[in-house]
Amino acid sequence: MEPFSVRVTVRGYETDTQGHLNQAVYLNYAEHARWSMLQAAGISQAGLVGQGVGPVALETTISFRRELLAGDEVDVTCAFEWGEGKTFRIRQEMRKTDGTLAAEITAVGGIMNLTERKLVADPRAVFKELAADPDLLGL
């Protein structure tokens, strides 16, 4: 199964003085793809909060491969990797429409119980319960 993907166009105000996409904006694009994927699977922010939980980022690594400039269109992928325990990994790529790899993002996340302020023991179960299409999340 192909990873979930969303297309984003680099806007001029997101670039730095060299004309490159600002490094912090890569995180915004990655987060946009994550939420888009959750929404496509049937999980909303309101649904998560209604269950008393919310996703948290614990670690994020970005490897920059090629520059992105204003006007470039980029496809941002998102794939969850599930293991045992309280955390999961998210692997993402940003590719120009010609296939050029612009960046790779690896993240570690979890689901926080908003009352206890602690990670839930089984984030897979939370997503599986809320998702209309758990296959999209690799569940």
Side-chain angles (χ1 to χ4, degrees), residues 10-118:
V10 177
R11 295 165 290 258
Y13 62 82
E14 296 172 322
T15 60
D16 59 21
T17 56
Q18 290 85 20
H20 306 128
L21 182 65
N22 180 278
Q23 62 173 337
V25 180
Y26 285 81
L27 292 173
N28 290 336
Y29 288 6
E31 188 76 4
H32 173 65
R34 291 176 200 160
W35 279 108
S36 294
M37 182 175 169
L38 289 175
Q39 286 178 327
I43 299 173
S44 67
Q45 286 180 315
L48 288 162
V49 172
Q51 292 291 319
V53 296
V56 292
L58 303 170
E59 176 184 314
T60 304
T61 302
I62 304 173
S63 297
F64 301 100
R65 302 297 183 204
R66 294 286 183 271
E67 66 184 358
L68 290 173
L69 306 172
D72 284 346
E73 288 188 322
V74 61
D75 294 314
V76 186
T77 65
C78 187
F80 283 65
E81 295 178 353
W82 304 99
E84 301 300 320
K86 297 179 180 182
T87 63
F88 51 88
R89 290 195 176 278
I90 304 168
R91 297 215 183 267
Q92 297 180 267
E93 291 183 346
M94 293 185 187
R95 289 189 179 271
K96 295 181 182 185
T97 55
D98 68 2
T100 302
L101 180 63
E104 296 171 288
I105 299 98
T106 306
V108 176
I111 298 290
M112 179 182 283
N113 179 305
L114 299 176
T115 302
E116 297 174 6
R117 308 307 287 180
K118 294 182 179 182

Side-chain angles (χ1 to χ4, degrees), residues 1-5 37 77-79 135-136:
M1 183 169 145
E2 288 290 315
F4 179 85
S5 181
M37 182 175 169
T77 65
C78 187
D135 288 341
L136 192 57

